[in-house]
Amino acid sequence: MGEMTDKAKAAGNKLAGSIKDGIGDLTGNERLQAEGKAQKAKGAAQDVSGTVKGKLGNDI
C-alpha cells in the first residue's frame, strides 16, 4: 500500500473509532468504547505508516 492509501484508511479508522467510542460513552457500553479506542489506535498506526512511506518511498 502507498502513502495515500494508508492515510485514507487511517482517516476512516479514526472516524469510525471516534463514532464507536462516542456511542459507547453515551450508552454506557464499555465494550463498544473499547472497540472504538482500539480502532482509533489502529488508525493512528496507519497514519504513521503512511507518513513513513511518504518519507522513505512506497517501496518499503
Side-chain angles (χ1 to χ4, degrees):
M1 285 184 280
E3 174 185 8
M4 296 311 291
T5 303
D6 282 356
K7 290 199 173 269
K9 286 185 177 186
N13 276 317
K14 288 180 187 178
L15 177 62
S18 292
I19 291 169
K20 284 182 182 179
D21 189 15
I23 291 171
D25 187 40
L26 288 173
T27 61
N29 186 332
E30 292 178 7
R31 184 182 64 90
L32 192 58
Q33 277 183 291
E35 286 178 14
K37 288 181 190 329
Q39 195 163 4
K40 285 192 288 187
K42 179 181 177 181
Q46 285 173 321
D47 199 22
V48 169
S49 173
T51 300
V52 168
K53 285 181 182 178
K55 299 279 187 204
L56 299 177
N58 291 334
D59 295 332
I60 60 167

